[in-house]
Amino acid sequence: MSRGEVDLVHALEALRGADRDRFLCALAAPAALRGDLVTLYAFNAELAGIADKVSESMLGLIRLQWWRDALADIAAGRGHRHHLVQALGDVVARRGLSPALLVQLIDARERDVEGNQPADLAELESYAAASAGTLAELALEICAAEPMAAWRAAARAAGTAYGLTGTLRATPYLAQHRRIMLPAAEMGEAELSPDSLLDLKPGAALQPVVQSVAQRAGTLLAAARKERLPRLAMPALFPGRLAAAQLERLRRHGYDPFVAGSSTPSGLNIWRLVGARWLGRI
């Protein structure tokens, strides 16, 4: 096994621990794309993990600014000692990743650090689009040279759907850490009190809130599926395939992410992704 192959194996193992879903997405991608997707997803995992690693928001904002400075170093062609910055710089140079999208990915994580609850579903979708949607569009830039605008829209829609679904799946975890990412307006309409959610006893009022977010995710998935992308570009939409499976599990469990089994990772996910790759649709 060559040094590059060994490095890729180690990078895959690290990504599996940080973001299992996108580890599977990279694993199911063609070999020629796999290493670059792993680097992009590792960068995203680093940003997403900041909120859980800091004791106060200012420390998190400082870390995010460090990454903005690292992107500036990449853009200026300056060397860097951090191994992930080096790897990301190589991908940016070879694949032409959009600097504005990379910065947008960092900016989106300020909400995680500050812990602000979205005011309504539109604000939650805006966050999902800026984070998971942007990541999917960056993945598309790895998969397809000069992607068409319609392909970008499909990738962003699939990624945003995954982001919304991920918020629903993470609701119990976030509540345990005294955070709420469900939209406040929809919670108010359903008479779901923040205290009951943080006490991990949301009751029946949770169902309509979760269902409204899930339905919006489903609408985005339907929009992504309308656009036919070349097979080589399909890995950028893989998160949408996982979102579809997760939404179905939530539906079967009454749109209650607190129910055992509603958010459990499925052993079928890798096969769902392989199928999406060969069929050319999610």
PDB file of all heavy atoms in Angstrom, residues 25-44:
ATOM      1  N   CYS A  25     -20.733   8.568   2.474  1.00  0.00           N
ATOM      2  CA  CYS A  25     -20.860   9.246   1.181  1.00  0.00           C
ATOM      3  C   CYS A  25     -19.529   9.229   0.432  1.00  0.00           C
ATOM      4  O   CYS A  25     -19.490   9.010  -0.785  1.00  0.00           O
ATOM      5  CB  CYS A  25     -21.332  10.685   1.383  1.00  0.00           C
ATOM      6  SG  CYS A  25     -23.048  10.842   1.943  1.00  0.00           S
ATOM      7  N   ALA A  26     -18.433   9.459   1.137  1.00  0.00           N
ATOM      8  CA  ALA A  26     -17.116   9.430   0.503  1.00  0.00           C
ATOM      9  C   ALA A  26     -16.746   8.012   0.099  1.00  0.00           C
ATOM     10  O   ALA A  26     -16.186   7.786  -0.977  1.00  0.00           O
ATOM     11  CB  ALA A  26     -16.073  10.003   1.460  1.00  0.00           C
ATOM     12  N   LEU A  27     -17.079   7.055   0.943  1.00  0.00           N
ATOM     13  CA  LEU A  27     -16.742   5.664   0.670  1.00  0.00           C
ATOM     14  C   LEU A  27     -17.449   5.163  -0.582  1.00  0.00           C
ATOM     15  O   LEU A  27     -16.889   4.379  -1.361  1.00  0.00           O
ATOM     16  CB  LEU A  27     -17.120   4.792   1.870  1.00  0.00           C
ATOM     17  CG  LEU A  27     -16.479   3.407   1.968  1.00  0.00           C
ATOM     18  CD1 LEU A  27     -14.969   3.511   2.104  1.00  0.00           C
ATOM     19  CD2 LEU A  27     -17.076   2.653   3.156  1.00  0.00           C
ATOM     20  N   ALA A  28     -18.677   5.616  -0.799  1.00  0.00           N
ATOM     21  CA  ALA A  28     -19.469   5.158  -1.941  1.00  0.00           C
ATOM     22  C   ALA A  28     -19.136   5.912  -3.227  1.00  0.00           C
ATOM     23  O   ALA A  28     -19.599   5.531  -4.302  1.00  0.00           O
ATOM     24  CB  ALA A  28     -20.962   5.315  -1.646  1.00  0.00           C
ATOM     25  N   ALA A  29     -18.329   6.970  -3.129  1.00  0.00           N
ATOM     26  CA  ALA A  29     -17.969   7.759  -4.311  1.00  0.00           C
ATOM     27  C   ALA A  29     -16.897   7.044  -5.123  1.00  0.00           C
ATOM     28  O   ALA A  29     -16.170   6.186  -4.602  1.00  0.00           O
ATOM     29  CB  ALA A  29     -17.474   9.136  -3.873  1.00  0.00           C
ATOM     30  N   PRO A  30     -16.753   7.378  -6.393  1.00  0.00           N
ATOM     31  CA  PRO A  30     -15.665   6.815  -7.203  1.00  0.00           C
ATOM     32  C   PRO A  30     -14.307   7.093  -6.569  1.00  0.00           C
ATOM     33  O   PRO A  30     -14.111   8.143  -5.931  1.00  0.00           O
ATOM     34  CB  PRO A  30     -15.814   7.536  -8.545  1.00  0.00           C
ATOM     35  CG  PRO A  30     -17.253   7.941  -8.602  1.00  0.00           C
ATOM     36  CD  PRO A  30     -17.634   8.255  -7.187  1.00  0.00           C
ATOM     37  N   ALA A  31     -13.371   6.181  -6.748  1.00  0.00           N
ATOM     38  CA  ALA A  31     -12.049   6.296  -6.117  1.00  0.00           C
ATOM     39  C   ALA A  31     -11.353   7.601  -6.469  1.00  0.00           C
ATOM     40  O   ALA A  31     -10.650   8.183  -5.636  1.00  0.00           O
ATOM     41  CB  ALA A  31     -11.185   5.100  -6.518  1.00  0.00           C
ATOM     42  N   ALA A  32     -11.555   8.092  -7.685  1.00  0.00           N
ATOM     43  CA  ALA A  32     -10.877   9.308  -8.122  1.00  0.00           C
ATOM     44  C   ALA A  32     -11.342  10.548  -7.356  1.00  0.00           C
ATOM     45  O   ALA A  32     -10.647  11.567  -7.332  1.00  0.00           O
ATOM     46  CB  ALA A  32     -11.100   9.513  -9.616  1.00  0.00           C
ATOM     47  N   LEU A  33     -12.514  10.471  -6.732  1.00  0.00           N
ATOM     48  CA  LEU A  33     -13.070  11.607  -5.995  1.00  0.00           C
ATOM     49  C   LEU A  33     -12.923  11.445  -4.486  1.00  0.00           C
ATOM     50  O   LEU A  33     -13.029  12.425  -3.742  1.00  0.00           O
ATOM     51  CB  LEU A  33     -14.562  11.760  -6.321  1.00  0.00           C
ATOM     52  CG  LEU A  33     -14.950  11.924  -7.786  1.00  0.00           C
ATOM     53  CD1 LEU A  33     -16.468  11.926  -7.923  1.00  0.00           C
ATOM     54  CD2 LEU A  33     -14.366  13.202  -8.360  1.00  0.00           C
ATOM     55  N   ARG A  34     -12.701  10.233  -4.051  1.00  0.00           N
ATOM     56  CA  ARG A  34     -12.832   9.893  -2.630  1.00  0.00           C
ATOM     57  C   ARG A  34     -11.926  10.730  -1.730  1.00  0.00           C
ATOM     58  O   ARG A  34     -12.369  11.293  -0.720  1.00  0.00           O
ATOM     59  CB  ARG A  34     -12.566   8.403  -2.442  1.00  0.00           C
ATOM     60  CG  ARG A  34     -13.000   7.851  -1.088  1.00  0.00           C
ATOM     61  CD  ARG A  34     -12.911   6.342  -1.103  1.00  0.00           C
ATOM     62  NE  ARG A  34     -13.822   5.784  -2.102  1.00  0.00           N
ATOM     63  CZ  ARG A  34     -13.523   4.763  -2.899  1.00  0.00           C
ATOM     64  NH1 ARG A  34     -12.329   4.192  -2.826  1.00  0.00           N
ATOM     65  NH2 ARG A  34     -14.413   4.325  -3.767  1.00  0.00           N
ATOM     66  N   GLY A  35     -10.650  10.816  -2.063  1.00  0.00           N
ATOM     67  CA  GLY A  35      -9.715  11.527  -1.202  1.00  0.00           C
ATOM     68  C   GLY A  35     -10.071  12.989  -1.047  1.00  0.00           C
ATOM     69  O   GLY A  35     -10.005  13.545   0.065  1.00  0.00           O
ATOM     70  N   ASP A  36     -10.466  13.651  -2.130  1.00  0.00           N
ATOM     71  CA  ASP A  36     -10.810  15.068  -2.061  1.00  0.00           C
ATOM     72  C   ASP A  36     -12.107  15.287  -1.284  1.00  0.00           C
ATOM     73  O   ASP A  36     -12.239  16.266  -0.538  1.00  0.00           O
ATOM     74  CB  ASP A  36     -10.935  15.645  -3.471  1.00  0.00           C
ATOM     75  CG  ASP A  36      -9.588  15.748  -4.178  1.00  0.00           C
ATOM     76  OD1 ASP A  36      -8.550  15.558  -3.502  1.00  0.00           O
ATOM     77  OD2 ASP A  36      -9.576  16.002  -5.393  1.00  0.00           O
ATOM     78  N   LEU A  37     -13.072  14.385  -1.443  1.00  0.00           N
ATOM     79  CA  LEU A  37     -14.300  14.496  -0.659  1.00  0.00           C
ATOM     80  C   LEU A  37     -14.021  14.304   0.827  1.00  0.00           C
ATOM     81  O   LEU A  37     -14.594  15.006   1.667  1.00  0.00           O
ATOM     82  CB  LEU A  37     -15.327  13.468  -1.140  1.00  0.00           C
ATOM     83  CG  LEU A  37     -15.971  13.757  -2.503  1.00  0.00           C
ATOM     84  CD1 LEU A  37     -16.817  12.571  -2.950  1.00  0.00           C
ATOM     85  CD2 LEU A  37     -16.818  15.032  -2.456  1.00  0.00           C
ATOM     86  N   VAL A  38     -13.133  13.373   1.150  1.00  0.00           N
ATOM     87  CA  VAL A  38     -12.775  13.155   2.552  1.00  0.00           C
ATOM     88  C   VAL A  38     -12.174  14.429   3.142  1.00  0.00           C
ATOM     89  O   VAL A  38     -12.497  14.829   4.268  1.00  0.00           O
ATOM     90  CB  VAL A  38     -11.796  11.975   2.693  1.00  0.00           C
ATOM     91  CG1 VAL A  38     -11.181  11.937   4.085  1.00  0.00           C
ATOM     92  CG2 VAL A  38     -12.514  10.663   2.417  1.00  0.00           C
ATOM     93  N   THR A  39     -11.293  15.082   2.397  1.00  0.00           N
ATOM     94  CA  THR A  39     -10.688  16.328   2.880  1.00  0.00           C
ATOM     95  C   THR A  39     -11.742  17.402   3.115  1.00  0.00           C
ATOM     96  O   THR A  39     -11.736  18.077   4.155  1.00  0.00           O
ATOM     97  CB  THR A  39      -9.643  16.842   1.872  1.00  0.00           C
ATOM     98  OG1 THR A  39      -8.580  15.893   1.774  1.00  0.00           O
ATOM     99  CG2 THR A  39      -9.079  18.182   2.302  1.00  0.00           C
ATOM    100  N   LEU A  40     -12.652  17.570   2.158  1.00  0.00           N
ATOM    101  CA  LEU A  40     -13.711  18.564   2.321  1.00  0.00           C
ATOM    102  C   LEU A  40     -14.590  18.242   3.522  1.00  0.00           C
ATOM    103  O   LEU A  40     -14.906  19.129   4.330  1.00  0.00           O
ATOM    104  CB  LEU A  40     -14.566  18.613   1.054  1.00  0.00           C
ATOM    105  CG  LEU A  40     -15.797  19.531   1.108  1.00  0.00           C
ATOM    106  CD1 LEU A  40     -15.394  20.987   1.282  1.00  0.00           C
ATOM    107  CD2 LEU A  40     -16.660  19.349  -0.144  1.00  0.00           C
ATOM    108  N   TYR A  41     -14.972  16.977   3.662  1.00  0.00           N
ATOM    109  CA  TYR A  41     -15.849  16.597   4.768  1.00  0.00           C
ATOM    110  C   TYR A  41     -15.122  16.672   6.112  1.00  0.00           C
ATOM    111  O   TYR A  41     -15.743  16.963   7.142  1.00  0.00           O
ATOM    112  CB  TYR A  41     -16.405  15.196   4.531  1.00  0.00           C
ATOM    113  CG  TYR A  41     -17.356  15.110   3.355  1.00  0.00           C
ATOM    114  CD1 TYR A  41     -17.547  13.915   2.662  1.00  0.00           C
ATOM    115  CD2 TYR A  41     -18.070  16.224   2.927  1.00  0.00           C
ATOM    116  CE1 TYR A  41     -18.424  13.831   1.576  1.00  0.00           C
ATOM    117  CE2 TYR A  41     -18.938  16.159   1.848  1.00  0.00           C
ATOM    118  CZ  TYR A  41     -19.109  14.959   1.172  1.00  0.00           C
ATOM    119  OH  TYR A  41     -19.970  14.887   0.102  1.00  0.00           O
ATOM    120  N   ALA A  42     -13.817  16.429   6.113  1.00  0.00           N
ATOM    121  CA  ALA A  42     -13.045  16.582   7.357  1.00  0.00           C
ATOM    122  C   ALA A  42     -12.997  18.051   7.774  1.00  0.00           C
ATOM    123  O   ALA A  42     -13.082  18.373   8.966  1.00  0.00           O
ATOM    124  CB  ALA A  42     -11.632  16.038   7.160  1.00  0.00           C
ATOM    125  N   PHE A  43     -12.848  18.940   6.799  1.00  0.00           N
ATOM    126  CA  PHE A  43     -12.887  20.379   7.069  1.00  0.00           C
ATOM    127  C   PHE A  43     -14.236  20.763   7.677  1.00  0.00           C
ATOM    128  O   PHE A  43     -14.305  21.474   8.695  1.00  0.00           O
ATOM    129  CB  PHE A  43     -12.645  21.124   5.760  1.00  0.00           C
ATOM    130  CG  PHE A  43     -12.889  22.609   5.812  1.00  0.00           C
ATOM    131  CD1 PHE A  43     -12.230  23.413   6.718  1.00  0.00           C
ATOM    132  CD2 PHE A  43     -13.779  23.204   4.918  1.00  0.00           C
ATOM    133  CE1 PHE A  43     -12.453  24.787   6.756  1.00  0.00           C
ATOM    134  CE2 PHE A  43     -14.008  24.571   4.941  1.00  0.00           C
ATOM    135  CZ  PHE A  43     -13.344  25.367   5.863  1.00  0.00           C
ATOM    136  N   ASN A  44     -15.316  20.276   7.102  1.00  0.00           N
ATOM    137  CA  ASN A  44     -16.642  20.560   7.646  1.00  0.00           C
ATOM    138  C   ASN A  44     -16.810  19.999   9.057  1.00  0.00           C
ATOM    139  O   ASN A  44     -17.378  20.657   9.929  1.00  0.00           O
ATOM    140  CB  ASN A  44     -17.714  19.974   6.725  1.00  0.00           C
ATOM    141  CG  ASN A  44     -19.108  20.177   7.270  1.00  0.00           C
ATOM    142  OD1 ASN A  44     -19.617  21.290   7.312  1.00  0.00           O
ATOM    143  ND2 ASN A  44     -19.730  19.093   7.720  1.00  0.00           N
TER     144      ASN A  44
END
